[in-house]
Amino acid sequence: MRTARSQVLASAVVAAQGDAVEAWWQEEPSADALMMRARVRVQQALGAYRAGERGVGVLADRARAACFEAARYGPADPVPWVCLVALAQLDWPEAGRRRPEHRTQAPEYMLPPGPWALLHEADKRDPGSREAWHRMIQALRAYGANVHDVVRWICTWAPEGSPLLLLPLYLHAEHYAKERSRGALTPLYWTTDPISHYTGRALEGWFWYADRTQWAPQDLNHLAQALFSTDFYPQAAQVFVAIGPFVTPEPWKYIAETPDLWLEQFERARDRCLRAGAGGTWYAARRR
């Protein structure tokens, strides 16, 4: 919860272009203030990178220093280490300039090298950290690694109730969007056995077991979209009920007629599935 909420707060601070966190640190130095300062600086570096701005390296170094300082002040806090994993995707492409901590040996010999040591520090403080593992996948993708093998490996050990069981759905949604834009895929993509398997696994292994207060809206929306696209309408109904008003543009923009019609796509999918699931009564009965 600390990891998730600090990420949301940092995004809001950066979007507002304010200096509230810096002022907090100056007025009341604490582990929490240092953690949030690291969060904000990481968000600024990642935002500059996505926008193609200059000076990303300087911002990343500034954020990295803030992360290590926060880690020293709060040795039990996973957030600074999650932030360091997030920054790993900004590493230099040239082998001679890469940071050694971003290319450490994986726990399994067939997996690609990456920021595994940083991930280990986050994971031992918050086992199965959702954001840490998502950030790990982002870093490996930035390095050109085959993340599908990594995700398949994760799903072999992720326990019941773990949001890591949804990682395949994220990859498939992004892959579908990319290939569809080239005219290489059709909606039949979602009916293949591997996707159906991972969709069912996410429903049975995560949705029914997870703490409802820990559901992330992005996870719920990815599961609902996968169930809808695989024609599991009654099963999807229960997930739409759980989503309530908390719809996210992704992954609906990936399957919409055009990305800007993502909300209309969500509403059509929800209405169809709720009709098939009798308005979510199966969900209510299963929860009882």
Side-chain angles (χ1 to χ4, degrees):
M1 189 66 73
R2 176 183 177 84
T3 304
R5 290 184 174 178
S6 62
Q7 182 184 15
V8 172
L9 286 171
S11 299
V13 170
V14 172
Q17 298 183 341
D19 60 354
V21 172
E22 294 289 347
W24 176 18
W25 164 244
Q26 294 295 328
E27 295 178 10
E28 187 183 346
S30 65
D32 287 338
L34 271 178
M35 179 274 291
M36 281 304 306
R37 185 174 71 165
R39 266 292 193 193
V40 168
R41 290 185 178 181
V42 169
Q43 190 71 20
Q44 290 169 336
L46 293 175
Y49 170 71
R50 296 184 188 115
E53 298 175 4
R54 300 178 63 182
V56 172
V58 173
L59 290 174
D61 289 343
R62 181 170 173 260
R64 190 171 289 106
C67 290
F68 280 117
E69 188 174 6
R72 287 194 297 271
Y73 270 76
D77 190 356
V79 175
W81 296 100
V82 172
C83 289
L84 286 167
V85 178
L87 287 171
Q89 65 186 281
L90 308 184
D91 204 3
W92 296 97
E94 301 88 353
R97 304 181 68 182
R98 294 171 183 166
R99 291 182 174 273
E101 66 267 28
H102 293 169
R103 298 299 195 284
T104 56
Q105 186 62 43
E108 295 287 332
Y109 76 95
M110 295 199 59
L111 299 178
W116 293 101
L118 298 176
L119 176 67
H120 174 70
E121 294 295 334
D123 207 50
K124 73 181 183 181
R125 291 166 172 81
D126 181 18
S129 167
R130 177 187 180 277
E131 185 185 347
W133 284 92
H134 272 266
R135 297 295 193 182
M136 183 67 181
I137 297 301
Q138 290 172 359
L140 293 176
R141 292 179 74 174
Y143 305 162
N146 182 356
V147 293
H148 287 274
D149 287 344
V150 179
V151 166
R152 281 192 289 268
W153 169 73
I154 293 170
C155 289
T156 64
W157 54 259
E160 302 292 339
S162 171
L164 302 184
L165 294 173
L166 287 99
L167 282 170
L169 305 188
Y170 282 79
L171 292 188
H172 283 299
E174 292 164 5
H175 176 70
Y176 177 76
K178 180 180 178 180
E179 295 301 305
R180 181 191 179 198
S181 67
R182 302 193 302 114
L185 289 180
T186 70
L188 292 176
Y189 170 79
W190 295 99
T191 64
T192 58
D193 289 340
I195 297 179
S196 297
H197 166 75
Y198 284 118
T199 300
R201 180 85 174 91
L203 177 68
E204 296 295 330
W206 172 73
F207 187 74
W208 292 124
Y209 285 88
D211 180 351
R212 296 171 65 184
T213 65
Q214 300 294 319
W215 280 339
Q218 297 93 335
D219 289 345
L220 289 172
N221 278 268
H222 273 80
L223 178 56
Q225 178 269 313
L227 289 166
F228 165 75
S229 296
T230 52
D231 295 334
F232 293 148
Y233 295 166
Q235 294 90 331
Q238 55 206 313
V239 185
F240 279 108
V241 171
I243 290 172
F246 301 108
V247 58
T248 60
E250 297 173 351
W252 303 106
K253 70 178 185 179
Y254 297 152
I255 66 170
E257 185 176 345
T258 58
D260 61 304
L261 296 177
W262 65 268
L263 184 56
E264 289 84 348
Q265 175 63 60
F266 166 80
E267 291 172 341
R268 286 195 299 272
R270 180 189 58 189
D271 293 346
R272 183 177 299 178
C273 293
L274 289 180
R275 285 196 299 271
T281 55
W282 183 34
Y283 166 78
R286 181 68 178 269
R287 293 306 300 181
R288 289 196 296 270

